[in-house]
Amino acid sequence: MLYSKVPNQMKTMKRYLILLIAGVFTCGCASVNVKHVEANDTSDGVHFCEPQPYLLVGKVVKNDKDGNALPPEFSSQIIYLPNPKQRYAVTISPGWGTVDGSVKLINGWMLDTVGSKMDSKIPETITAISGLVKEAAAAADQRPEGLYRIDIDPKTQAVSLHKEPGWK
């Protein structure tokens, strides 16, 4: 009598095991998803904008010890501002396993990390070309101070500068 129940219990255990395995495969793995969204999107997740590099050139006016104006000097600084045309949302999908779902933003809009650090050589490239603006403006006898959007061609890595209107 005892042996007649064992095969039924084994069948039941096999069914539960098959259901458990099927459940594991159908629920998927835990993941972090990053997707492009429109500017007016209000979906769940952490929203951020891709940074757009800008070169800020300022004029520094100095006087000598007698109060006479010296030739102007220029300072330059690379700054990053949000590009609303490149907006993204990070969502964390639960599932089988674990995921480092940490999302760190800088200044409330620029993605810094999603579980791991990102690194590129673009800031070094931009810094290297920042001196060219002052020289080019001086050669063209133009006012170099202002805000310049820095565009980097993704295919050729060519760098171009575009002066933003309305900035002095």
Side-chain angles (χ1 to χ4, degrees):
M1 196 94 170
L2 186 60
Y3 287 122
S4 65
K5 290 185 178 180
V6 171
N8 288 338
Q9 288 177 345
M10 291 296 281
K11 285 181 184 178
T12 304
M13 286 184 65
K14 284 182 183 178
R15 287 183 188 144
Y16 286 135
L17 185 59
I18 290 170
L19 286 174
L20 178 64
I21 292 170
V24 167
F25 285 116
T26 58
C27 75
C29 295
S31 63
V32 175
N33 304 303
V34 180
K35 68 176 183 174
H36 187 269
V37 294
E38 297 299 321
N40 58 356
D41 184 81
T42 59
S43 62
D44 289 341
V46 178
H47 291 247
F48 68 94
C49 292
E50 194 173 289
Q52 175 72 46
Y54 286 84
L55 176 65
L56 181 61
V57 178
K59 184 177 182 180
V60 180
V61 179
K62 293 184 179 181
N63 296 328
D64 63 12
K65 61 182 179 180
D66 297 327
N68 299 322
L70 295 172
E73 296 179 8
F74 297 95
S75 64
S76 62
Q77 178 183 3
I78 302 294
I79 61 172
Y80 292 89
L81 299 174
N83 182 348
K85 295 177 183 173
Q86 296 297 323
R87 185 176 162 141
Y88 297 87
V90 178
T91 56
I92 300 166
S93 301
W96 188 257
T98 60
V99 64
D100 180 2
S102 62
V103 177
K104 182 179 175 188
L105 299 178
I106 298 173
N107 297 328
W109 62 267
M110 184 169 54
L111 182 67
D112 181 47
T113 56
V114 177
S116 65
K117 294 259 181 206
M118 294 180 283
D119 187 22
S120 72
K121 298 296 179 191
I122 291 176
E124 290 86 352
T125 304
I126 293 170
T127 302
I129 63 143
S130 65
L132 297 176
V133 171
K134 293 180 271 185
E135 294 172 16
D141 196 30
Q142 295 179 355
R143 295 181 52 170
E145 63 267 16
L147 184 67
Y148 296 82
R149 186 182 73 245
I150 301 170
D151 291 326
I152 302 172
D153 188 296
K155 293 179 184 176
T156 64
Q157 300 299 310
V159 178
S160 60
L161 299 171
H162 305 279
K163 191 168 186 178
E164 292 292 309
W167 284 81
K168 294 183 181 182

